[in-house]
Amino acid sequence: MRPIALLACLLLAWLAPLHAATLARVEPANWWVGMRHSEVELMLHGRDIAALQARTTHPGVRVLGTAALDSPNYLFVTVAIDEDAAPGELAIELLDGDAVVARHPWRIDAREPAPPRGFKTRDAIYLITPDRFANGDPSNDTVAGMREGANRADPDGRHGGDLAGIRAHLDYIASLGFTRIWPTPVLENDQASTSYHGYAITDLYRVDPRMGSNEDFRALAREAREHGIGIIMDVVLNHIGSEHWWMRDLPSRDWINHGGRFVPTNHRRTTIQDPYAAPGDRAGFTDGWFVEAMPDLNQRNPHLARYLVQNTLWWIEYAGLAGIREDTFGYADADFLSRWAKAVMDEYPDFDMVGEEWSPNPAIVAHWQRGKANASGHVPHMTSMMDFPTHIALRDALLRPDTWESGWMPLYEALANDFLYPDPGALVVFAENHDTTRLLAHVDGDLGLWKLGLAWVATIRGVPQFYYGSEVLLRGPAERHDGQLRADMPGGWAGDAANAFTGEGLDARQREAREFVRRLFNWRKGATAVHAGSLVHYAPEDGVYVYFREHEGRKVMVALNRNPADAPLALGRFAGSIGDARTGTDVLTGRRMPLGEVLRLPARAPLILELD
């Protein structure tokens, strides 16, 4: 080529745009007019876009700035949405100089009327592992392009349960007396194996196609509200799945703790508050990976922190959620957790969130609840926490022999620690969940002890949580094996021999258990003394634990008899709580009982009386 021609080509190349860019992703894909969080940082992903500028010409939407990190394939664009911005479609344009080299559709929407929010003491939560509950749409059991297909014969594999299965049985859940559903995570988990549980998320803005679609999730929430049920979403802030698309092109070197290299957490949760903890031990807890398949996120990165906050706000607004359950709570950066929870509560003041802090120590759990004044200076904003201390004490109380320091005593004394909590009445109480052995397995099939445990959960302070299938005595192994304890709900699949939803094929014990749950939690829906009442409990004696709930003159007496035989209960000791009441109505049978000098308690059974 002649020198003049070569010079002309170089000049044209210098004057022309660098390239025609292509955007693979813009997250979030939309926002809403009128949000308190009106400045949104968009994550744009596409080849070699980091050096470009961004703009939009939509009235009321302004680009405030851009930021690039280590990867040349990300651009973070902050947009401001004015209160008078018109909802509708718009484009995010990328510019190389004055030339537009890419356009990507984006959208701002009008907010829908606010649905009921939160979960209060009047509510009862039904926890579901969606893959194991009901297969409402067999066509999505195995999805082309997804790493794991359905294999119901494998206890650790995918079984095909989905959102359609939950929708099909909302009336059943409501009939049991439950007003909130907490599904374990439903977002994409495109992992090679054991992906059914949902906690190794590979796309934070997409429902797993084997569960359904984003719109299916929103439709579930809407339909649930028609049944008087709110949806609590399971959110994971600590980690992602190893097959998350980020892992193929990290936005920055510090996006994942330990540079993307597996270093296990030490699980030393006390280090967060321990004034003597070595800094390395504290970092070993928060920065270590939960397991090798779950890369640990570094929430100290401000762009990742904003991404996670916005992701939570997006799902609440998109689906009209009633609440959030946050997984592995204390494992994430503590300062971030404070900012994240505050952002949610600032946006939705009537909202409720519960965090998982799996500790038997109430001081460790109380650290995270809103209103707690912490010596560390940490300011929490979580309305609720999972009450693991009483969960552990309850399970001990049901099995340990009745002595001066055992039997019901550990549970009685666990409640005495409530002074540590800013709001003990907001805690979520439970006898079992998806990470523990089933209560029935724990008590070795003893139906009486099982009823005692559930009666305590339903009548004590706090918000009760129940695990699906226990109403028909799903038992599972005595030692924890996740895939087996998260067993398929009978009747959730075509051809099942028994059907929990219709009662067909259930044996007498299963029918008895289901009716017990139905009566207990439907009664609780209207039991204001349990929702809002004071609690007075009496030191357990001779295998019997007695406590009272009272609100505005309405009284409930609960007597839990752990003995294998009927037991006489002298009532003189409880005169101050019984007051002028002369009779009580058994809420499970409707039978009226006189309150004389002695009350006869049935063997291995709860007695719950509304005092007249």
Side-chain angles (χ1 to χ4, degrees), residues 113 134 198 205 210 226 267 273 286 298 315-316 329 363 414 444 475 517 527-528 568:
Y205 277 101
R210 292 160 295 189
E226 295 173 3
H267 298 287
Q273 300 178 61
T286 60
N298 174 23
W315 280 110
I316 295 170
F329 191 80
D444 196 23
R475 178 166 175 166
V517 171
T528 57

Side-chain angles (χ1 to χ4, degrees), residues 16-256:
L18 292 174
H19 55 73
T22 300
L23 289 178
R25 293 176 181 264
V26 175
E27 294 180 341
N30 72 290
W31 206 251
W32 292 267
V33 178
M35 297 275 285
R36 180 186 178 98
H37 190 95
S38 60
E39 293 185 4
V40 185
E41 184 174 77
L42 309 181
M43 172 189 280
L44 280 58
H45 186 235
R47 185 173 179 181
D48 294 329
I49 63 172
L52 302 178
Q53 296 301 309
R55 76 179 183 194
T56 182
T57 59
H58 190 82
V61 181
R62 294 165 288 122
V63 172
L64 298 182
T66 61
L69 304 183
D70 298 322
S71 170
N73 303 320
Y74 290 87
L75 185 65
F76 292 83
V77 179
T78 301
V79 299
I81 303 170
D82 296 339
E83 288 189 6
D84 59 354
E89 301 286 340
L90 59 113
I92 301 295
E93 297 181 337
L94 293 187
L95 295 88
D96 179 11
D98 294 331
V100 176
V101 296
R103 289 185 177 88
H104 199 282
W106 203 62
R107 197 178 71 251
I108 54 173
D109 293 326
R111 301 178 77 178
E112 296 185 4
R117 305 280 194 196
F119 47 87
K120 310 301 180 186
T121 53
R122 62 181 178 271
D123 291 308
I125 301 169
Y126 191 75
L127 167 59
I128 293 173
T129 301
D131 180 69
R132 306 301 171 85
F133 184 66
N135 188 355
D137 181 7
S139 70
N140 65 13
D141 290 358
T142 297
V143 174
M146 306 289 292
R147 288 177 173 81
E148 187 176 17
N151 180 7
R152 199 178 173 199
D154 180 1
D156 295 318
R158 301 192 75 94
H159 291 189
D162 48 31
L163 299 179
I166 299 175
R167 287 180 69 182
H169 299 296
L170 288 171
D171 54 351
Y172 167 80
I173 297 169
S175 75
L176 293 177
F178 295 102
T179 59
R180 295 291 183 267
I181 295 174
W182 156 23
T184 54
V186 298
L187 300 186
E188 182 193 275
N189 266 241
D190 194 12
Q191 297 287 114
S193 64
T194 323
S195 64
Y196 75 92
H197 56 66
Y199 288 99
I201 297 171
T202 55
D203 190 328
L204 287 157
Y205 277 101
R206 186 192 190 203
V207 166
D208 195 294
R210 292 160 295 189
M211 293 283 178
S213 66
N214 285 16
E215 183 52 43
D216 290 333
F217 185 55
R218 180 158 58 177
L220 167 64
R222 287 172 174 164
E223 192 169 337
R225 288 195 292 272
E226 295 173 3
H227 287 77
I229 297 172
I231 299 295
I232 298 171
M233 189 174 190
D234 205 331
V235 168
V236 186
L237 300 172
N238 179 65
H239 54 264
I240 54 174
S242 56
E243 296 296 338
H244 192 290
W245 63 272
W246 283 336
M247 299 303 293
R248 297 186 289 276
D249 182 16
L250 289 175
S252 64
R253 287 184 291 271
D254 67 348
W255 202 256
I256 302 295

Side-chain angles (χ1 to χ4, degrees), residues 550-561:
E550 180 177 0
H551 179 66
E552 296 182 349
R554 301 186 67 174
K555 294 183 181 181
V556 172
M557 175 183 178
V558 181
L560 306 177
N561 177 20

